[in-house]
Amino acid sequence: MLKKLFQYIYTGWSGIMFIIPMIIFTPFMVIPILISRRLDFITFFFIRAWVYMFGITTGIWFTGHNKKLVDTKKSHIFVINHTSFLDACAIPIAIPSTLVGLGKKELSKIPIFGWVTSRFAIWIDRSNPESRKEGSKKMKALLKGGTSVLVAPEGTRNNTDEVLLPFRYGPFRLAIESQIPITPVVIHNAAKLMKRGSLLLKPGVVHSYILPEVSVEGMTEDHLESLTQNVFKMMKNKIEELNQST
C-alpha cells in the first residue's frame, strides 16, 4: 500500500514536470514553426530541451541508438511501435531529423499538450476514412517539401501481451506512392515504466533503436503486403532480441 502511494505521488510529480517545462518552452517551440517550416530545427531543439528537463527532474531518461543511420538531409517515413504515452518523449530523442507525426485526434484534446503538438502533428480520426485520406494527402505534401513524417503502423497503443499488433498498410502505401524510404524505430522499455493499461509511472531508461532504412525504390502496389510484413518482422525480431537481453 505504501509503495502504491509513493507511485501515485511520483506520477503526480512527473505530470507536473511534464507540463511546466512544456509551458516554459512553448513560445520557442511554436513561434519558429509558425514563421516558417524551415525553422523547425529551432522548434525541435527546444522540444528536446523539454524532454531532457523532464528526464532530469523525474529520473525517466531517454536514450537513442544508431542515429547515424539516418540521413538528415533527406525525407524519411519513420515507423514506430507504440506501447506507452512515454513514446511521445522518446521520439525527439530517438530521431535526429525534424518531422511531423500522424496521431489520433483524441490526443489533440489533451490540455496544453494537444495545442502545442498540433503545430507539428497531423491529427486524424481513424474511424473516418475521409479523415485518414486527408491525413495521407497532407503527409504526401510534407514529404514532397522535404519534411520527414512519423507513423505508428499498429494504429493504436499496444495494450496486449503481443510484441506488436498487426500493421496497417497506410505508411507503407504512402512510402510506395511517394518513393520515400521507410526507417523503422523500435522503442523499448517504455511499457515497463508505464504499464499497459495504467497511467502510473516509475523511473528508468527508455531506449530507442533506429533500424536500417528500407528502400521502396521501384516498388508498386503489388509490393505493399511484402513491404509491410518485412518491416513488421524487422521490428518484431529487434524487440524480441531486446526482451531476451534484459
Side-chain angles (χ1 to χ4, degrees):
M1 184 66 183
L2 190 59
K3 183 179 179 181
K4 184 66 72 174
L5 176 61
F6 278 123
Q7 193 172 15
Y8 276 109
I9 294 171
Y10 172 75
T11 300
W13 168 256
S14 298
I16 291 169
M17 297 317 300
F18 181 87
I19 292 170
I20 289 177
M22 180 183 287
I23 293 172
I24 293 171
F25 289 129
T26 288
F28 307 102
M29 292 191 289
V30 172
I31 292 172
I33 209 166
L34 288 177
I35 296 171
S36 170
R37 189 157 291 282
R38 292 181 180 180
L39 299 178
D40 59 3
F41 68 95
I42 300 175
T43 291
F44 273 81
F45 174 85
F46 284 102
I47 290 174
R48 292 177 182 118
W50 157 51
V51 174
Y52 282 127
M53 185 174 287
F54 172 69
I56 290 168
T57 55
T58 64
I60 300 175
W61 198 250
F62 301 88
T63 301
H65 304 271
N66 309 328
K67 294 182 185 181
K68 290 183 179 179
L69 291 178
V70 177
D71 182 353
T72 57
K73 295 179 181 179
K74 68 178 187 180
S75 297
H76 299 261
I77 297 174
F78 295 99
V79 294
I80 62 163
N81 59 315
H82 185 25
T83 61
S84 167
F85 186 70
L86 293 174
D87 296 343
C89 296
I91 289 164
I93 305 302
I95 300 172
S97 298
T98 59
L99 51 84
V100 170
L102 184 71
K104 55 184 180 181
K105 193 175 181 180
E106 293 83 350
L107 293 177
S108 67
K109 298 176 183 178
I110 298 175
I112 304 175
F113 176 82
W115 185 84
V116 174
T117 54
S118 290
R119 275 53 194 170
F120 36 87
I122 297 171
W123 304 118
I124 63 164
D125 179 354
R126 289 193 167 103
S127 65
N128 185 330
E130 284 303 313
S131 179
R132 296 200 304 269
K133 186 176 179 181
E134 183 63 24
S136 178
K137 184 178 177 181
K138 289 179 180 178
M139 285 192 292
K140 283 180 184 177
L142 288 167
L143 289 166
K144 202 170 185 180
T147 301
S148 292
V149 301
L150 179 139
V151 185
E154 294 169 284
T156 188
R157 176 175 165 175
N158 183 2
N159 288 323
T160 73
D161 292 328
E162 297 295 323
V163 173
L164 284 173
L165 297 176
F167 280 1
R168 300 186 179 189
Y169 292 126
F172 308 99
R173 180 176 283 114
L174 177 66
I176 290 171
E177 291 177 354
S178 304
Q179 288 295 286
I180 300 291
I182 292 279
T183 301
V185 182
V186 166
I187 299 174
H188 190 252
N189 214 38
K192 291 183 180 179
L193 305 189
M194 178 186 276
K195 287 186 178 180
R196 294 170 180 178
S198 173
L199 291 177
L200 294 179
L201 294 165
K202 63 180 182 180
V205 182
V206 177
H207 293 273
S208 301
Y209 298 83
I210 304 286
L211 303 187
E213 178 185 293
V214 179
S215 174
V216 296
E217 186 176 355
M219 286 190 181
T220 66
E221 184 75 15
D222 293 337
H223 299 94
L224 181 60
E225 177 67 27
S226 60
L227 172 64
T228 304
Q229 292 308 314
N230 178 36
V231 176
F232 179 89
K233 288 176 183 176
M234 283 177 67
M235 295 178 69
K236 182 180 179 182
N237 290 342
K238 183 63 177 179
I239 295 169
E240 289 176 338
E241 174 193 321
L242 292 168
N243 287 343
Q244 290 173 2
S245 64
T246 55

